[in-house]
Amino acid sequence: MKSQELVLWFKDIGIEDIHLVGGKNASLGEMFQKLTKKRINIPDGFAVTASAYQHFLKEEQLEPEIRRLIHNINPKSVESLRKYGHEIREHMLRADIPPKLRIAIIDAYRKLQRKYGKNREVAVRSSATAEDLPDASFAGQQETYLNVRGEAHLLEACKKCFASLFTNRAIHYRIDRNFNHFDVSLSIGVQLMVRSDLGSSGIMFSIDTETGFKDAVLINSIYGLGENIVLGRVNPDEFYVHKPTLKLGYKPILSKKLGNKKLKMIYSHEGSKESTRNILTTQKERESYSITEKETLELAKWACQIEDHYKKPMDMEWAKDGKSKKLYIVQARPETIQSRRDTSVLEEYHLGKKGRIITKGRSVGSKIGTGQAQIVKDVHDMKKFRKGNVLVTDMTDPDWEPIMKIAAGIITNRGGRTCHAAIISRELGIPCIVGTNNATQKIKNKQPITVSCAEGETGYIYDGILKYKIQTHHLNNLEKPNTSVMVNLGNPEQAFEVAQMPHEGIGLAREEFIINEYIKIHPKALINFNTLVDKDAKRKIQELTKGYKNKEHYFIDKLSQGVATLAAAFYPKDVIVRLSDFKSNEYAHLIGGKLFEPLEDNPMIGWRGASRYRTKSYKKAFALECKALLKVRKEMGLKNLKIMVPFCRTVKEGKLVLKEMAKNGLKRHKDNLEIYVMCEIPANVILADEFAKIFDGFSIGTNDLTQLTLGLDRDSELVADIYDERNDAVKTLVATAIQKAKANKRHIGLCGEAGSLPDFAQFLVNQGIHSISVAPDALMKTIVTVLNAERNLKRK
């Protein structure tokens, strides 16, 4: 019978055997049995069972002393936990592994050696029988031993694994969750060691860890063995891949972010005992991605297959063998935080007045927290930490969990969004910012601070206690209006979070944010990089475009990734991307921009929008935009992307722009591509019938339409009192545009700020507009306004 065996091979166990071999081993056995057939690589191995652990306790008569020591622990005292936890582990380590169990482990080890070759290293991993339960995450509380070679070292590692059931953190967690210490047993997985010391390794999730967005795979990657990524010792490379279009055969890598990867864990053969050690990575390694795009896509496909097999979001560890160059999955467990979140309630955190930014890093979650900073540099100083303070440290590991649960926020120098600090802060529901590089230097001890994770992927630490508010929306009973309420969004960092709100897609996605924040360089400076005369600009471009021999590809990649993230977040609903609409003075502020931009007295009504794209001097730069958008649709499969031409003054100009787009692969109606035009110049309204012949839809931009209708500069405070979208002249043009678009069977929406004004939204509904697009913070309010307007219209 399985339940009495001391050793079971992966091929003989499955997910139903958690009580025998723990969650980790049960999952490895399940995948080895079911998923290797689908060409997912799982290293073979065997499990030392829970029965073996019980046999060890019984034969060595260990339980009475363990019970006595546990009874003495004061769970509220870090010192008590450390003292008695150490004594329990030492008590177990002094014992011998019983002969019957020793023989079973060695026999299995020799069989594994015969399969893979003599002296092959193994990984020895703890697998608790209560691990990876839906309502409690025991993962990471016991120990793992890597690069274990030889029978004596294996037996010693197994004994250490048994003892690690009583690490300080594991004891504390069980006490905290009211688990009986003797209801949990410890199984051990002995698995072929993938030579990621010569390759790379990492963690991936089949769900976004911050927002719960279910249609993306998140992959983190580093060089060397994977322990550094789990413990947050390095800032990893980060990749997002869109699942729905990946499954259709496309290559939808939505984003790639280069981590510094300063350390690499490798094997150490120093002395008599083989183990591991950290070395510094080379500059070339730090400036290169640790996996290729092909490998990124293969890992993402595996993540989808594993999720489909288990029918739930999954948290996986992977490794790349530097010798064979093969990828392997070495662990998989259910994701236990975002997948269990109540999606019927939406909480929005809004920071009031912002303060001085002390430092910033990667945000974990979307909450805001405040408190007094408490810098803790060493685990031995934990006893000084006070409840309600913000923990500021270099990095955390599982031993820190007793103080993390009483912190108002967590800030670390190192680590990515899958490191220990990030995982635990999500579980605890507190704001956390990782990878700041300098928090312990920049933040003063006892300094009042605000930790804001509510502003996208970048988390900010502000000086002082700042006010913030929380808006709670209950979505279960929210009706869907007939008028589509869409969102204006240009920041890809907010896309996954905003997409959780009720919406009908993106009505206006501005490229300007992506160009300003991600690219930062004027496109013509990239095209003409080799002949640039501005040495400072050339140095900055060289720094930003590391790894790009062809500088134009940098623009295409960054723009396509930003746009793709927006399109993927709202897939399959429409995402209308407006081509870049910088004015010449704004373009000049980009790196190298002053070399290529004219000086205009009034850039607001000068060389912008369609006029720029059709001009001979700018056509090559415009081609880069087109290539980026074509990549999103053709390579990534995000065909929900529609394109909008801004500031198109004449029908002739519109035709010239469409011709230029077609030259670069963006031909109207090819592959179902629809191209809209902004309706923001009175000429667009007056000649709407003609514009409707060459474009598929209109989006009214009330900012420029108001400016040009009333003949004022909307940037001038001298005439600011006249500026009003509710002026009858503006409303007449808006009403006319809606009527003409509908008469020509063209989509008509509004993406100006006026859509969020309740009386103006009511006016738009009365006119029969198809869609209204507003900023994310006005979305819920506008839905309610539109619903009320539609009800009033029915009553008439």
Side-chain angles (χ1 to χ4, degrees), residues 316-377:
M316 295 146 281
E317 292 181 29
W318 61 270
K320 177 185 175 183
D321 193 300
K323 284 187 172 181
S324 68
K325 309 301 180 188
K326 285 185 178 181
L327 293 167
Y328 291 87
I329 298 294
V330 294
Q331 280 191 52
R333 62 180 73 90
E335 196 278 341
T336 58
I337 300 163
Q338 291 295 347
S339 55
R340 297 177 61 224
R341 186 167 59 90
D342 183 1
T343 55
S344 67
V345 178
L346 174 68
E347 272 191 346
E348 290 184 275
Y349 280 68
H350 299 284
L351 192 63
K353 190 177 179 182
K354 295 182 182 180
R356 178 179 69 86
I357 297 171
I358 303 171
T359 187
K360 59 186 178 181
R362 302 300 303 280
S363 63
V364 178
S366 58
K367 294 184 177 180
I368 299 171
T370 61
Q372 196 177 82
Q374 190 163 348
I375 298 171
V376 182
K377 292 188 175 179

Side-chain angles (χ1 to χ4, degrees), residues 204-272:
M204 65 178 172
F205 290 83
S206 64
I207 186 173
D208 181 41
T209 55
E210 306 314 310
T211 63
F213 180 67
K214 293 180 180 179
D215 282 348
V217 174
L218 166 64
I219 302 171
N220 277 6
S221 174
I222 58 171
Y223 291 111
L225 303 173
E227 299 306 288
N228 281 341
I229 205 169
V230 177
L231 295 176
R233 292 190 183 120
V234 295
N235 296 333
D237 297 333
E238 181 180 279
F239 308 85
Y240 275 104
V241 182
H242 187 231
K243 286 152 61 177
T245 50
L246 178 72
K247 291 177 179 180
L248 293 174
Y250 293 98
K251 300 175 181 178
I253 299 176
L254 303 178
S255 68
K256 296 166 62 178
K257 290 188 174 69
L258 195 66
N260 60 26
K261 308 179 296 295
K262 286 184 179 178
L263 294 174
K264 175 167 67 171
M265 185 180 282
I266 61 169
Y267 290 176
S268 173
H269 301 286
E270 298 167 3
S272 59

